[in-house]
């Protein structure tokens, strides 16, 4: 390890070191390897970029799968409650009322899943910190954003089932068995 103290740049120091090592190993460049801290930092940043990209892809796939699960649950709920929807609409419930009911149910369902994930994640982080002897930092703002995002995903994927319920014809719904 070489440290420059004469004011030269890392690139200049590397050139000097490369020259000295080239002479020492008689031109055999496979016998040594030089790298500046800047080059190491760039390499680590590139690896972190790939790791973050992989994590984002996994998170996106997880959200898609979770959203499809919420949509399926809500479609089953709409199908099972067709008669209830018909009665509500026959008694004067507007399309908007039914839509809001099912979107609220979808948001609550996914927010509960988000809360469960936050509890599990917080527990794993706290346990890992305790085992490794590290101080853990859990920010309430991040938790709030995560649960809110979870509810938004639920609303997005619950929109189709809610629209299907809201547009149901009350006469057909009352006849449904």
């Amino acid at each position: 390890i070489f440290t420059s103290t004469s004011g030269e740049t890392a690139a200049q120091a590397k050139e000097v070191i490369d020259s000295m090592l080239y002479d020492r190993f008689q031109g055999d460049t496979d016998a040594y390897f030089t790298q500046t801290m800047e080059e190491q930092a760039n390499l680590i940043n590139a690896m972190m970029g790939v790791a973050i990209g992989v994590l984002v892809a996994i998170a996106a796939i997880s959200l898609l799968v979770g959203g499809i699960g919420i949509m399926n649950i809500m479609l089953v709920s709409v199908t099972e409650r067709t008669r209830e929807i018909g009665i509500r609409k026959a008694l004067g419930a507007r399309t908007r009322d039914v839509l809001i009911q099912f979107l609220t149910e979808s948001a609550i369902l996914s927010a509960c899943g988000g809360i469960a994930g936050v509890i599990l994640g917080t527990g794993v982080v706290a346990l890992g910190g305790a085992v490794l002897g590290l101080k853990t930092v859990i920010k309430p703002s991040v938790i709030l954003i995560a649960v809110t995002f979870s509810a938004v995903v639920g609303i997005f994927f619950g929109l189709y089932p809610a629209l299907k319920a809201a547009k149901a014809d009350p006469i057909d719904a009352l006849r449904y068995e």
Side-chain angles (χ1 to χ4, degrees):
I1 295 180
F2 175 81
T3 305
S4 171
T5 57
S6 62
E8 56 201 3
T9 67
Q12 291 169 333
K14 182 180 178 193
E15 285 179 22
V16 170
I17 293 168
D18 279 340
S19 173
M20 289 175 14
L21 290 172
Y22 186 84
D23 292 342
R24 171 144 172 101
F25 290 102
Q26 301 165 351
D28 184 12
T29 57
D30 291 334
Y32 63 92
F33 173 76
T34 59
Q35 188 175 40
T36 64
M37 292 299 285
E38 183 180 355
E39 291 170 339
Q40 286 181 346
N42 289 340
L43 182 63
I44 290 171
N45 285 338
M47 290 188 310
M48 290 300 289
V50 170
I52 288 171
V54 169
L55 288 175
V56 166
I58 290 170
I61 291 169
S62 297
L63 282 173
L64 181 66
V65 170
I68 291 170
I70 289 170
M71 188 184 322
N72 285 335
I73 289 169
M74 293 307 298
L75 282 169
V76 168
S77 178
V78 167
T79 302
E80 288 178 350
R81 296 163 61 188
T82 301
R83 193 160 175 83
E84 172 194 334
I85 295 165
I87 292 171
R88 284 195 71 211
K89 290 193 90 173
L91 292 175
R94 295 172 296 187
T95 300
R96 186 174 65 118
D97 297 330
V98 176
L99 181 71
I100 289 172
Q101 173 189 349
F102 281 94
L103 285 178
T104 302
E105 185 177 326
S106 176
I108 290 172
L109 179 69
S110 60
C112 287
I115 290 168
V118 165
I119 290 169
L120 181 67
T122 303
V124 168
V125 166
L127 181 65
V131 168
L132 297 174
L134 300 172
K135 180 183 176 201
T136 58
V137 178
I138 298 169
K139 296 183 179 180
S141 60
V142 174
I143 291 173
L144 182 63
I145 290 169
V147 173
T148 302
F149 189 73
S150 176
V152 169
V153 167
I155 290 170
F156 178 77
F157 281 97
L159 194 58
Y160 172 71
L163 285 170
K164 184 177 177 185
K167 292 181 179 180
D169 182 30
I171 296 171
D172 291 337
L174 287 171
R175 267 192 244 156
Y176 182 80
E177 278 299 322

